[in-house]
Amino acid sequence: MSIMSYNGGAIMAMRGKDCVAIAADRRFGIQAQTVSMDFDKIFEMGPRLYIGLAGLATDIQTVSERLKFRVNLYELRENRRIKPKTLLSVVSNLLYERRFGPYFIEPVIAGIDPLTLEPYVASCDLIGCPMVAKDFAVSGTCSEQMYGMCESLWVEDMTPDQLFEAISQALMNSVDRDALSGWGAIVHIIERDRVTTKTLKTRMD
């Protein structure tokens, strides 16, 4: 078994019209054994900026702490909020520094630019190669299923309600086809003036 799938997990971000959504499952497991069903994989990096980390659970916690530290340092030094594009560079640098003994995570970034108010979705591989997406980004043990669902359900210029429905259905139907992820899900819908967080009940078998 790959170290990337040791704990399982699924992260997905999707872009809509003036809004963006990021969703993750809640399972923390050790291979086929489920340990808990309230594990956080999405972390707030700013008022309208979130990052989802899929991969090895210990590295998820380590990287989230180090990222929060670097973001706080950036905001103290620059005296302004970090932009999603800048966060992608920070994440990419953090991962590439450790390229010979990498953090076993694949991050997904979703947010709204504080200046242009444009929705932003991006992802990285485990050594920090960045990829900015115009539609959606996925990461985790069932990424093939998530790509298939997203390709089917994503359409341009979705409203926040349509985006919530699309990302929820895509995530729930993907994790149902993967034994290492699922057991509940959480969705953040990020708009210009607010962030709505919803939890989803999924199959527990």
Side-chain angles (χ1 to χ4, degrees), residues 92-199:
S92 185
N93 288 333
L94 177 69
L95 295 176
Y96 194 68
E97 280 172 13
R98 296 294 188 97
R99 63 192 177 277
F100 298 118
Y103 292 117
F104 295 107
I105 57 152
E106 291 180 342
V108 171
I109 294 168
I112 289 181
D113 192 293
L115 298 177
T116 63
L117 299 175
E118 276 287 303
Y120 188 89
V121 169
S123 61
C124 280
D125 69 357
L126 80 167
I127 56 163
C129 176
M131 184 186 82
V132 180
K134 288 188 169 65
D135 42 16
F136 51 81
V138 304
S139 172
T141 49
C142 58
S143 54
E144 287 179 10
Q145 288 91 327
M146 288 192 286
Y147 271 121
M149 286 304 303
C150 288
E151 293 282 3
S152 303
L153 297 177
W154 184 85
V155 291
E156 276 189 73
D157 295 338
M158 284 188 282
T159 65
D161 289 339
Q162 290 171 324
L163 188 62
F164 169 70
E165 193 63 33
I167 199 167
S168 301
Q169 290 294 340
L171 186 73
M172 288 168 71
N173 285 286
S174 301
V175 299
D176 280 351
R177 287 159 179 80
D178 179 35
L180 299 176
S181 56
W183 277 264
I186 188 163
V187 183
H188 301 279
I189 302 109
I190 307 157
E191 298 170 67
R192 290 178 175 182
D193 56 343
R194 65 180 180 270
V195 177
T196 311
T197 301
K198 299 180 181 181
T199 53

Side-chain angles (χ1 to χ4, degrees), residues 22-88:
I22 184 166
D25 72 324
R26 306 282 281 157
R27 179 183 185 267
F28 166 60
I30 295 170
Q31 293 181 341
Q33 179 189 5
T34 300
V35 178
S36 78
M37 297 176 290
D38 58 355
F39 188 68
D40 288 324
K41 295 169 190 171
I42 298 176
F43 304 92
E44 188 177 355
M45 292 289 145
R48 290 186 295 271
L49 182 56
Y50 288 78
I51 185 166
L53 304 173
L56 193 64
T58 49
D59 284 353
I60 288 172
Q61 293 178 326
T62 303
V63 169
S64 68
E65 292 292 324
R66 294 202 165 179
L67 271 180
K68 196 64 194 157
F69 169 74
R70 290 195 183 194
V71 167
N72 288 344
L73 211 60
Y74 173 91
E75 290 179 352
L76 279 169
R77 193 187 301 125
E78 299 284 331
N79 201 25
R80 62 194 164 113
R81 292 286 184 191
I82 194 166
K83 292 196 286 190
K85 191 177 177 183
T86 316
L87 180 65
L88 180 62

